[in-house]
Amino acid sequence: MTDTSTPTATKPKASDGPFTRFLKATELDTRLIGMVGALALIWIGFHLYGALVNNFGAFLTPRNLWNLSVQTSSIGIMATGMVLVIITRHIDLSVGSVLGFCAVVMGMLQVYILPPLLGLGHPLIWIIAALAGMLTGAIVGAIQGSLIAYLKIPAFIVTLGGLLVWRGAAFLVARGETISPVDETFALLGGGPYGAIGSTGSWIVGGLACAAAIFLTLNGRRQRRKFKFALRPVWADTFLATLGCAVAIGAVLLVNAYPWPKGIVRQYTERQGIEMPEGGLFISHGFAIPVLILVAVGILMTILLNRTRFGRYVFAIGGNPEAAELAGINTRLMTVKIFSLMGFLAGLSAVVASARLNSATNALGTLDELYVIAAAVIGGTSLAGGVGTIYGAILGALVMQSLQTGMVLIGFDAAIQQIVVGSVLVLAVWLDILYRRKSK
Amino acid sequence: MENTGTPLVEMRDISIAFGGIKAVDHVSVDLYPGEVVGLLGHNGAGKSTLIKCLSGAYQADAGEIHVNGQKVEINNPRDARSHNIETIYQTLALADNLDAASNLFLGRELVTPTGFLDDAQMEAETRKIMHRLNPNFQKFADPVSALSGGQRQSVAIARAVYFNAKILIMDEPTAALGPQETKMVSELVQELKRQGLGIFLISHDIHDVMELCDRVSVMKNGQLVGTEKVSDVTDDEILGMIILGKKPERSAA
Ligand SMILES: Nc1ncnc2c1ncn2[C@@H]1O[C@H](COP(=O)(O)OP(=O)(O)O)[C@@H](O)[C@H]1O
Ligand SMILES: [Mg+2]
């Protein structure tokens, strides 16, 4: 066994069935396929339920799926950070409260503090407010991370305290009032007809995504050839690139199929001084800005986790904290950085959430910590540490939000929603345990 | 071999206590280039704790460490590595969820000019050194949790050897190995010795130690019983030092 030319141990065996061969050749993980399958089941299930019971399948419509994408953004952004926290064997229960605190800080800035200084509608207002919100989150996270790393207080306790502290702080800052309306440009970050990039913009994004899928595939082949590692079969690579492109183009077609409502079109034509044609105008929403923010965060966090030293240390600490320390990694400083990043993302999430509501209240983000943790865990982040993916967490956020939205659509009330969401979380963790036991 | 000139490492009067337990109590050892010094003693004698003060895992409560005659401060594992001190820990200190290459380069990753991890290059380097140390090793894509005890040990050894150590600490490196792999480690120790490295070898196997080491230092209950040249003592005398904590009559004279 000294054959080093084709060392990858995943060569197909004659005994493998076609599906196993397919998995080995494409190197897709079964967990990803399982999650996509679960998502498809949820979507089709809610749609059919609506169609059969209410005589109207409202789920698989461009309108609902577009809204679903926007609603997923806030939880999805935070879930990418929670992955790092959980990989390093910690937990952050404070993210919902931190979101609320950041939101009211931004609200106060752009409604009461900045306009008198700069003038109402000044173009710097939304930028200063958004940066201040994210900075607030990062500082809060760094404080909590320091308590965990240097005072050795368990993350569970520090962030459980934080859950109360930051919610209370949000109430004090906002004095219990709703702060609104937010700056007009700021509001675009939350989506809505004007907060989306339209048909042409969406095609450009879709084209870029397609190009990226092809580039990544070709680059992967080049790298493997350079180091004489086993190549994937050409058909498998072609399949993956095509799949990537198909998903991108499908998404563009979907978001472009959802038109602006009539009222907004009228407002728009009046403002632009365009004559409204007979049959009305079909203006596509295109991708919503918060969804693009989520995608950008997802890409950056994936690069951070998989392609940088920082990400490697996150995994090492999760796998064996003592070994990480002995390898010269400053594990305490890493903890501070990871919690600070989590806080930063809660701040960014606060931007999206308060922009979407066009207001900030101290209750914003209540219970979000549960959805965020659930998203990460459903997405395959192991609570035992050391394992997790960003795309999994984003898919997990989509699963959670799909459940939530679907139940609202078919008319389940809040109490049942809570029961279902809670049960799904427990079920997901149990399935995860079974899956890991089997793959061992 | 006569040890003249400056020792590679001198640990002088090292003490460290955990709670009330004096794990290491005023121990001094030294090591010359091209020399293998064995550390012997029962479980709990303080061997691992002593060398952890050198590798930066612990900070001694008292005592001094000199490298090439210079007094140095070793406050953490990074400091030790910067003095070319490499360690194979008894626990191996591997991150189970990472593959062999990620473990080998942990804390010293190779990066591309743009600052991103160069995983392909790291894997290629790992293949090279593993081919030398353990030609049967093939599991480069798996996390090390999927490896056998011997394979894991060879990853830990590769990590210590790859970075051109001058001072190598091996804490029971053959504990998890079969006879054939143990022989491989013995050959490696001899080769590194020829290259002029100084090696602290902790082992339970007296025969290993007598074969590979130039000198042995024996510890008992945190204290140094004595240091002897292997050529001057018999197996039984060493055993006496380990069990009874008595220095052999002859050398005391
Ligand atoms: N981190 C620690 N905390 C408390 N006690 C320790 C620690 N490390 C070692 N000890 C104690 O120090 C003594 C020496 O242990 P060790 O150096 O591991 O012995 P050896 O390697 O010779 O078997 C033992 O009594 C052990 O329990
Ligand atoms: Mg020991």
Side-chain angles (χ1 to χ4, degrees):
Chain A
M1 271 270 305
T2 46
D3 149 344
T4 45
S5 56
T6 50
T8 314
T10 51
K11 272 182 284 182
K13 295 189 208 76
S15 58
D16 290 341
F19 186 62
T20 316
R21 278 163 174 273
F22 168 81
L23 284 183
K24 282 192 179 170
T26 53
E27 295 171 20
L28 282 174
D29 68 6
T30 45
R31 158 160 231 131
L32 173 65
I33 295 175
M35 266 188 8
V36 172
L39 198 58
L41 268 183
I42 292 171
W43 286 13
I44 294 169
F46 278 121
H47 191 77
L48 286 183
Y49 185 95
L52 295 177
V53 177
N54 303 342
N55 282 322
F56 178 58
F59 201 97
L60 294 176
T61 59
R63 175 194 153 104
N64 182 53
L65 293 177
W66 188 88
N67 278 317
L68 180 63
S69 74
V70 175
Q71 287 157 352
T72 303
S73 308
S74 173
I75 298 291
I77 290 168
M78 289 193 282
T80 63
M82 192 62 78
V83 171
L84 274 60
V85 171
I86 297 180
I87 288 179
T88 51
R89 306 183 183 191
H90 292 302
I91 195 80
D92 192 339
L93 299 174
S94 71
V95 292
S97 298
V98 174
L99 185 154
F101 180 63
C102 294
V104 298
V105 167
M106 288 187 291
M108 294 300 284
L109 269 176
Q110 57 188 314
V111 176
Y112 299 119
I113 299 174
L114 290 176
L117 290 175
L118 300 170
L120 193 67
H122 191 283
L124 275 179
I125 289 182
W126 76 272
I127 299 176
I128 295 177
L131 289 179
M134 292 182 275
L135 184 67
T136 305
I139 292 172
V140 166
I143 294 171
Q144 298 190 143
S146 305
L147 296 179
I148 295 160
Y150 294 100
L151 302 189
K152 306 252 181 257
I153 310 171
F156 181 86
I157 297 300
V158 169
T159 60
L160 184 62
L163 174 101
L164 290 170
V165 167
W166 304 114
R167 187 64 71 196
F171 185 88
L172 287 184
V173 172
R175 278 168 264 130
E177 294 164 15
T178 299
I179 310 168
S180 71
V182 298
D183 179 81
E184 266 189 31
T185 317
F186 187 87
L188 299 182
L189 301 174
Y194 294 123
I197 59 171
S199 170
T200 316
S202 298
W203 276 115
I204 293 173
V205 170
L208 287 176
C210 208
I214 295 168
F215 170 79
L216 286 177
T217 311
L218 290 178
N219 194 44
R221 287 189 81 80
R222 199 173 53 88
Q223 284 282 335
R224 288 179 183 219
R225 205 172 284 129
K226 181 172 158 201
F227 288 99
K228 302 196 172 61
F229 300 162
L231 283 176
R232 275 196 287 247
V234 175
W235 68 262
D237 268 336
T238 314
F239 170 80
L240 288 175
T242 314
L243 182 70
C245 264
V247 169
I249 291 170
V252 174
L253 288 174
L254 178 76
V255 294
N256 281 350
Y258 176 39
W260 281 9
K262 288 210 175 61
I264 301 280
V265 173
R266 198 176 311 116
Q267 195 187 34
Y268 175 78
T269 47
E270 274 163 17
R271 244 197 242 170
Q272 301 283 315
I274 312 171
E275 196 61 39
M276 181 82 136
E278 270 297 305
L281 260 181
F282 188 98
I283 303 181
S284 300
H285 274 81
F287 288 114
I289 290 175
V291 174
L292 296 178
I293 295 178
L294 171 61
V295 170
V297 166
I299 293 171
L300 291 176
M301 290 293 285
T302 302
I303 293 173
L304 181 72
L305 190 55
N306 297 323
R307 306 250 30 101
T308 68
R309 284 199 165 127
F310 182 86
R312 180 61 45 84
Y313 297 167
V314 167
F315 279 116
I317 292 171
N320 187 344
E322 196 194 343
E325 186 78 47
L326 292 176
I329 297 169
N330 191 338
T331 54
R332 294 181 190 191
L333 189 58
M334 282 292 297
T335 301
V336 176
K337 286 182 183 170
I338 290 164
F339 275 88
S340 184
L341 178 60
M342 180 72 253
F344 170 85
L345 290 169
L348 179 58
S349 210
V351 171
V352 168
S354 61
R356 189 168 125 72
L357 289 181
N358 200 17
S359 67
T361 70
N362 54 271
L364 198 65
T366 304
L367 286 187
D368 271 9
E369 54 281 346
L370 297 184
Y371 284 91
V372 170
I373 293 168
V377 171
I378 288 177
T381 308
S382 162
L383 287 168
V387 181
T389 60
I390 299 295
Y391 69 79
I394 293 177
L395 267 177
L398 190 55
V399 168
M400 295 302 290
Q401 196 58 53
S402 299
L403 275 177
Q404 179 88 352
T405 308
M407 287 189 291
V408 172
L409 273 185
I410 63 176
F412 279 6
D413 56 40
I416 302 209
Q417 290 175 30
Q418 287 179 346
I419 292 174
V420 172
V421 168
S423 311
V424 164
L425 175 59
V426 176
L427 179 73
V429 172
W430 181 60
L431 287 177
D432 182 58
I433 292 170
L434 290 186
Y435 173 85
R436 280 182 215 286
R437 205 179 288 157
K438 214 173 138 241
S439 63
K440 248 194 182 160
Chain B
M1 189 175 77
E2 269 325 297
N3 289 325
T4 48
T6 341
L8 207 46
V9 184
E10 256 188 295
M11 298 181 77
R12 289 188 195 159
D13 232 12
I14 302 287
S15 296
I16 182 169
F18 299 103
I21 303 167
K22 288 182 179 167
V24 174
D25 192 7
H26 297 286
V27 173
S28 300
V29 289
D30 57 3
L31 178 67
Y32 287 81
E35 187 190 35
V36 182
V37 171
L39 279 180
L40 287 171
H42 280 311
N43 259 335
K47 310 178 297 286
S48 294
T49 307
L50 176 69
I51 59 94
K52 279 184 179 173
C53 295
L54 181 58
S55 75
Y58 295 154
Q59 284 99 53
D61 298 334
E64 289 181 0
I65 297 175
H66 294 245
V67 173
N68 290 320
Q70 301 279 312
K71 182 171 186 291
V72 295
E73 290 295 328
I74 297 179
N75 291 318
N76 54 49
R78 268 158 292 161
D79 291 348
R81 284 180 168 190
S82 73
H83 293 297
N84 296 312
I85 301 170
E86 293 289 336
T87 312
I88 301 160
Y89 291 98
Q90 191 170 3
T91 54
L92 302 185
L94 298 173
D96 278 336
N97 55 337
L98 299 179
D99 60 17
S102 305
N103 269 294
L104 202 152
F105 286 94
L106 192 57
R108 291 179 283 206
E109 291 76 9
L110 302 178
V111 291
T112 61
T114 42
F116 292 110
L117 292 176
D118 196 344
D119 278 320
Q121 184 71 46
M122 287 192 271
E123 184 173 337
E125 290 292 313
T126 307
R127 281 174 190 278
K128 257 191 251 166
I129 185 151
M130 291 308 283
H131 189 71
R132 210 184 101 206
L133 291 178
N134 185 354
N136 294 327
F137 190 94
Q138 290 298 327
K139 290 188 166 177
F140 292 97
D142 294 307
V144 297
S145 59
L147 308 186
S148 72
Q151 288 168 333
R152 291 162 59 82
Q153 198 115 33
S154 52
V155 173
I157 293 173
R159 168 165 66 185
V161 174
Y162 178 83
F163 293 94
N164 300 319
K166 297 230 166 58
I167 299 151
L168 186 60
I169 301 168
M170 304 173 106
D171 195 348
E172 314 219 3
T174 57
L177 301 185
Q180 202 191 343
E181 288 160 314
T182 304
K183 190 162 155 270
M184 227 145 57
V185 172
S186 302
E187 281 163 12
L188 177 69
V189 168
Q190 273 153 353
E191 185 195 324
L192 295 173
K193 182 177 144 86
R194 275 195 298 277
Q195 292 172 13
L197 274 76
I199 301 176
F200 277 123
L201 177 65
I202 301 180
S203 177
H204 260 112
D205 187 336
I206 288 210
H207 303 287
D208 255 7
V209 172
M210 296 302 270
E211 187 191 316
L212 291 172
C213 296
D214 302 294
R215 288 184 295 151
V216 287
S217 294
V218 178
M219 290 179 71
K220 186 174 164 66
N221 297 334
Q223 290 173 331
L224 184 69
V225 176
T227 301
E228 298 292 336
K229 274 193 192 163
V230 165
S231 51
D232 293 350
V233 287
T234 63
D235 289 17
D236 285 343
E237 285 169 324
I238 298 281
L239 268 176
M241 290 172 77
I242 295 172
I243 298 169
L244 305 170
K246 285 253 161 54
K247 281 184 74 134
E249 299 288 327
R250 191 159 19 96
S251 64

